[in-house]
Amino acid sequence: MRSMRLLTAAAVLLPLVATTANGVESAPAWTARWISAPGAPPFDYGVYHFRRTFELGERPRSFLVHVTADNRYQLFANGERVAWGPARGDLYHWRYETVDLAPHLRAGRNVLAAVVWNFGIHAPQAQVTQQTGFLLQGAGEAEKMASTDRSWKAIRNEAYTPLPIVPDEIHHQYYVAGPGDRVDAAAYPWGWEQPEFDEAKWEPAEQGPVGSARDAVDAPSRWMLVPRSIPAMEETPIRFARARRATGLTVPASFPRTPAPFVVPPRAKAAVLLDQDHLTTAYPELTVSGGRGATITLRYAEALLEPGTKVKGNRNEVEGKELRGARDVFVADGGAQRRFRPLWWRTYRYVQLEIETAEEPVTVEDLSAVATGYPFTARARLDAGVTELDRILEVGWRTARRCAHESYMDCPYYEQLQYAGDTRIQALVSLYMTGDGRLARNAIEQLDHSRTSEGLTQSRAPTRLQQYIPPFSLWWVGMVHDYWRYQDDPAFVRQMLPGVRSVLSFFADRQGPDGSLGPVPWWNFLDWARAWPRGVPPGDGSSAPLDLQLLLAYGEAADLEQAVGSPARAGELREASARLRATIPARYWDAVRGLFADTPARTQFSQHANVLAVLAGVVEGEQARAVMDRVLSDASLVPCSIYFRHYLHAALNRAGLGDRYLDLLGPWRQMLAEGLTTWAETSEPDVRSDCHAWGASPNFELFRTVLGIDSAAPGFRRVILRPFPGRLTRAAGSIPHPRGEVAVSWQVRAGQLEADVRLPDGVEGDLVWGEVRRPLASGRTRLTLPAPSR
């Protein structure tokens, strides 16, 4: 595994920036200038190189620099890749990295080199941009010699052209993840990053405005600079598992598991289908020699397709299927050991290597990859003696990781966008699995930054194209509440209160006298239910699902205001909540069916409205259990998709019916049977995305519902243990906690629960089994609780 020596706001070794006496971070005094290549069009596609040579009398102990670019950069010191970024943000919060270059420097001549690229109109939707630029500033006087100005030299790399996605290759499905790369090796300045490279023909960089912090007065540039708040992405070398088929050549028996060069003769065509055996996000690395004029294509796919269709079938099967998808192209120049690596990572399980030679043979020296993603470390564990549950957790965690990079992502292949609805589930999964709240905090903050004058957050952030999904703003309020419960960070939660108030103000302006919502503009997506056009439940105004989501948000916001904000506002929110709570049964309850309808007409019913009614506490106790019984048994209800099953399962837990959870994992079992190695977007046979982390909710619920561990107070300062074994007779496991770890093992014998619980120092809790509740002290507690009364 490789990672850059990046100093973030959470770094242990050194602080990112100076700290004032009151603990508030102050920004660097920016003096370095943004630079670009002379004559480069500022907004168009382009790849550029920059170099700076300087002398040092001795090797420094520390050499800190702040570095960023638009769109992105990679920084090299004396030929070694030392940093890459910037972490994604928006123009009002443009990230920079702080890097210690000292380990890579030496006495005498030193060379810094950078590649910077702008994808132009082809940029990913999540890539906000102003114009091409590069900025590096030495953190102190000794490092200022490295700061960007006209002393840097620059050149455009003419080898690159973009390869936009061909719509027909993905059956015209929505795709906004950026272009592929076409690289003409004959035009590539090989060795540009090495100290010995001859830069004599390069020109001095074009100098732009001085860098400026977000809080600068009369900022001279559009990029308002803030420090990176998340760690560097990890990079781990990986190899393909096997070759599945080949045409036009014989693949060496040891390839691709180990390097094994093979030759494609002149004027020939050949192809090899490689299988990673699981879906991954990685930088493929292709090395070739010779073969001047040979065209080598890498095509990437999550799965193969039945010819002429979008049907994938079993993901392990390749016979009679075709590969369609995104691609990169490398045109060889005849040189030895030419290595191609795309500018941005790719998503794939299958890669097809296609080679068409010209007048010379080409040697494929190797094809491997470097996997990348947010550096989560799984700390949660669960042992229930059930192999299937182990497999579900494994695939779920892989899904969550593939959808976590510099932000959470809905899917890594098609969109790479951080939607609030998806991200709420992803954040819960990563908090339970790792205890690392930095990416969740980053997501909450980025969505808060997206708010506009109407009061709502954008549906996704960062993004270049505005999109409102009003229910997602309500889920964002839920994200803040989740963070407040599971992370001990009240100061950050307090900072989010203006955003929470802004969102609720938008909805309050659209409520009638009885609290029910009237028409709400934009895309009121709730779930990909087949019966709902574009995922929008029925009702243009007077929609039970939307009213219930608002009711949930009122309760969550009241908790936040009471704890870290204004108790007076908390009271107002509870009054608004009580008014709406009284209205909902009158508008939507159907006494004959014993269910909440989707609209006052009471002709359309869904699982969703009833799940939300239970979660919002509109029905409690036996009535809630009766509603959930009907939710599970009434086949006429519009069903929850994989995404919204997260809320269905949460409602079962709240209603005391968590013992049914393990019997409701049918969609996940079906995906395993179909050979998926990550969870799909939906359970449809022509599903678009094979990797959607909203489906990873079992990596939360197996710990929260089955093992039984949950937070019972802000900051997880109190624990509730309420296991729902279902058909299990034993389980043992743990989850990370802000103060350490919560560990539990339990067995069920003749209905009795025998539990062994360990809580962190200073943390207490309760064990609940049926109607029985027992206190738990910090440290170790062993208890036996009687069988629940029937």
Side-chain angles (χ1 to χ4, degrees):
M1 182 188 302
R2 179 183 177 182
S3 63
M4 54 182 165
R5 192 182 179 193
L6 181 70
L7 306 179
T8 70
V12 175
L13 297 177
L14 290 169
L16 177 64
V17 293
T19 301
T20 61
N22 63 3
V24 178
E25 291 179 344
S26 60
W30 290 95
T31 57
R33 290 184 173 271
W34 285 89
I35 60 173
S36 58
F43 309 113
D44 295 351
Y45 176 94
V47 179
Y48 306 93
H49 299 292
F50 300 88
R51 284 171 64 92
R52 173 72 166 94
T53 301
F54 58 94
E55 298 283 335
L56 291 174
E58 61 181 4
R59 181 176 180 178
R61 286 189 171 185
S62 173
F63 199 95
L64 295 181
V65 299
H66 310 301
V67 57
T68 188
D70 186 348
N71 296 172
R72 299 190 64 83
Y73 74 91
Q74 296 178 35
L75 179 66
F76 293 76
N78 291 326
E80 294 184 65
R81 183 166 170 264
V82 295
W84 50 95
R88 279 179 172 169
D90 57 55
L91 289 174
Y92 304 104
H93 308 86
W94 195 267
R95 287 355 189 224
Y96 64 86
E97 283 73 41
T98 298
V99 188
D100 187 358
L101 301 180
H104 311 283
L105 301 179
R106 57 202 177 205
R109 183 174 179 269
N110 291 270
V111 176
L112 298 184
V115 57
V116 173
W117 63 92
N118 185 342
F119 283 131
I121 62 171
H122 310 290
Q125 197 65 258
Q127 180 61 64
V128 176
T129 178
Q130 170 63 20
Q131 66 184 70
T132 306
F134 177 57
L135 179 70
L136 183 147
Q137 175 162 306
E141 287 303 316
E143 297 96 341
K144 287 291 175 66
M145 67 178 73
S147 295
T148 46
D149 55 22
R150 284 183 56 80
S151 65
W152 282 70
K153 291 190 172 183
I155 191 174
R156 178 169 184 156
N157 189 332
E158 301 291 351
Y160 281 89
T161 51
L163 285 177
I165 195 74
V166 177
D168 188 55
E169 282 292 303
I170 56 169
H171 290 281
H172 297 267
Q173 308 220 56
Y174 185 57
Y175 181 96
V176 288
D181 299 335
R182 186 184 190 279
V183 176
D184 183 350
Y188 194 93
W190 297 102
W192 63 268
E193 76 281 16
Q194 297 301 321
E196 62 273 14
F197 181 82
D198 183 3
E199 63 193 47
K201 295 183 180 180
W202 291 25
E203 298 182 51
E206 188 171 293
Q207 193 167 269
V210 173
S212 53
R214 172 164 171 71
D215 58 358
V217 177
D218 294 330
S221 72
R222 285 291 308 278
W223 302 279
M224 302 178 77
L225 297 170
V226 297
R228 180 186 183 114
S229 61
I230 58 174
M233 301 301 100
E234 73 177 35
E235 294 195 343
T236 305
I238 58 174
R239 298 201 65 85
F240 290 93
R242 50 186 168 152
R244 298 297 298 271
R245 66 189 181 206
T247 58
L249 79 161
T250 300
V251 178
S254 62
F255 182 80
R257 295 183 303 279
T258 61
F262 56 89
V263 177
V264 179
R267 299 179 297 282
K269 292 183 179 181
V272 182
L273 178 65
L274 301 173
D275 186 354
Q276 189 68 46
D277 268 356
H278 59 266
L279 190 145
T280 193
T281 53
Y283 293 94
E285 294 187 342
L286 170 71
T287 305
V288 302
S289 295
R292 181 187 299 274
T295 300
I296 304 161
T297 302
L298 295 173
R299 295 186 188 272
Y300 311 99
E302 295 180 310
L304 303 189
L305 303 173
E306 301 290 346
T309 75
K310 294 189 287 186
V311 176
K312 298 177 179 179
N314 190 293
R315 306 313 196 264
N316 298 320
E317 297 172 358
V318 304
E319 190 65 32
K321 291 184 176 180
E322 62 183 9
L323 187 149
R324 303 169 73 96
R327 74 201 191 283
D328 292 310
V329 174
F330 181 74
V331 181
D333 67 342
Q337 297 292 320
R338 298 303 202 204
R339 192 187 78 162
F340 167 78
R341 170 177 163 140
L343 295 170
W344 188 241
W345 49 263
R346 307 302 185 215
T347 303
Y348 59 85
R349 173 177 171 176
Y350 292 100
V351 173
Q352 189 155 284
L353 172 64
E354 303 169 1
I355 304 166
E356 183 174 355
T357 56
E359 300 304 314
E360 297 180 5
V362 65
T363 300
V364 177
E365 305 285 359
D366 196 20
L367 176 57
S368 60
V370 177
T372 188
Y374 184 91
F376 279 128
T377 299
R379 294 169 54 199
R381 58 181 180 83
L382 175 65
D383 176 14
V386 180
T387 302
E388 179 187 68
L389 295 183
D390 296 340
R391 181 73 174 136
I392 287 173
L393 285 172
E394 174 195 346
V395 173
W397 184 232
R398 180 181 298 119
T399 308
R401 293 218 60 196
R402 299 302 177 262
C403 296
H405 292 263
E406 291 170 354
S407 68
Y408 292 109
M409 296 178 175
D410 62 328
C411 57
Y413 192 97
Y414 290 91
E415 297 185 49
Q416 300 178 7
L417 287 163
Q418 184 171 246
Y419 288 91
D422 307 55
T423 299
R424 185 185 189 188
I425 298 170
Q426 292 171 268
L428 287 170
V429 168
S430 56
L431 290 174
Y432 260 66
M433 291 293 297
T434 74
D436 184 347
R438 289 173 292 181
L439 198 60
R441 176 179 167 136
N442 184 68
I444 292 168
E445 196 169 49
Q446 288 185 323
L447 286 160
D448 184 47
H449 293 161
S450 76
R451 280 186 296 116
T452 55
S453 58
E454 294 87 352
L456 292 186
T457 64
Q458 299 284 328
S459 69
R460 59 204 185 188
T463 179
R464 296 197 326 280
L465 180 65
Q466 67 273 20
Q467 183 194 72
Y468 294 101
I469 300 179
F472 276 18
S473 291
L474 295 175
W475 289 143
W476 176 78
V477 174
M479 287 175 62
V480 179
H481 191 267
D482 295 340
Y483 187 87
W484 170 72
R485 291 185 65 211
Y486 294 109
Q487 293 285 289
D488 195 4
D489 192 2
F492 174 74
V493 174
R494 187 177 297 112
Q495 292 171 18
M496 295 301 105
L497 284 180
V500 170
R501 295 164 185 162
S502 172
V503 167
L504 294 182
S505 176
F506 168 88
F507 285 96
D509 288 345
R510 288 156 177 81
Q511 287 181 274
D514 63 357
S516 182
L517 284 163
V520 176
W522 298 303
W523 184 19
N524 288 294
F525 171 87
L526 187 72
D527 186 23
W528 285 125
R530 297 188 70 180
W532 294 346
R534 299 200 70 208
V536 179
D540 183 14
S542 295
S543 165
L546 199 52
D547 278 348
L548 286 160
Q549 257 198 271
L550 179 58
L551 180 60
L552 274 169
Y554 273 144
E556 291 161 342
D559 288 344
L560 299 176
E561 292 284 6
Q562 187 67 45
V564 297
S566 164
R569 283 182 185 269
E572 293 169 1
L573 289 167
R574 291 193 182 101
E575 289 177 8
S577 176
R579 184 167 60 253
L580 183 54
R581 186 183 305 276
T583 293
I584 286 170
R587 275 185 176 261
Y588 305 113
W589 178 253
D590 187 302
V592 175
R593 296 191 64 173
L595 291 167
F596 290 89
D598 290 337
T599 68
R602 299 175 189 170
T603 57
Q604 296 166 288
F605 292 80
S606 66
Q607 289 184 332
H608 306 73
N610 292 279
V611 161
L612 291 171
V614 171
L615 289 175
V618 177
V619 287
E620 302 270 14
E622 287 302 322
Q623 188 180 11
R625 285 187 278 277
V627 166
M628 291 308 298
D629 278 337
R630 296 184 186 102
V631 163
L632 297 181
S633 63
D634 190 337
S636 70
L637 301 182
V638 173
C640 297
S641 78
I642 290 169
Y643 161 51
F644 218 83
R645 278 175 174 257
H646 165 72
Y647 295 101
L648 186 153
H649 299 153
L652 285 172
N653 184 307
R654 181 181 172 100
L657 298 175
D659 283 323
R660 301 192 186 183
Y661 174 72
L662 292 176
D663 296 327
L664 298 175
L665 294 176
W668 288 268
R669 295 184 176 103
Q670 182 61 34
M671 284 189 278
L672 290 179
E674 292 174 350
L676 277 95
T677 61
T678 49
W679 302 132
E681 182 176 11
T682 68
S683 57
E684 304 301 318
D686 59 350
V687 61
R688 178 187 63 148
S689 167
D690 265 10
C691 186
H692 239 73
W694 64 20
S697 59
N699 286 65
F700 170 66
E701 289 297 350
L702 285 170
F703 293 96
R704 198 270 293 261
T705 293
V706 178
L707 192 60
I709 304 171
D710 203 359
S711 171
F716 223 151
R717 290 192 287 273
R718 189 171 182 85
V719 172
I720 184 168
L721 179 63
R722 188 190 187 204
F724 289 101
R727 51 187 163 80
L728 300 179
T729 59
R730 70 167 183 86
S734 64
I735 68 167
H737 183 278
R739 299 189 186 182
E741 178 184 79
V742 177
V744 59
S745 65
W746 50 252
Q747 294 186 50
V748 180
R749 302 177 191 269
Q752 287 189 334
L753 181 76
E754 300 173 4
D756 186 347
V757 184
R758 290 179 175 84
L759 301 182
D761 289 344
V763 176
E764 298 177 344
D766 294 283
L767 173 61
V768 177
W769 182 244
E771 301 302 318
V772 179
R773 179 182 290 260
R774 294 286 185 271
L776 295 170
S778 63
R780 186 174 186 180
T781 304
R782 292 179 174 177
L783 288 171
T784 298
L785 276 66
S789 58
R790 297 295 180 184

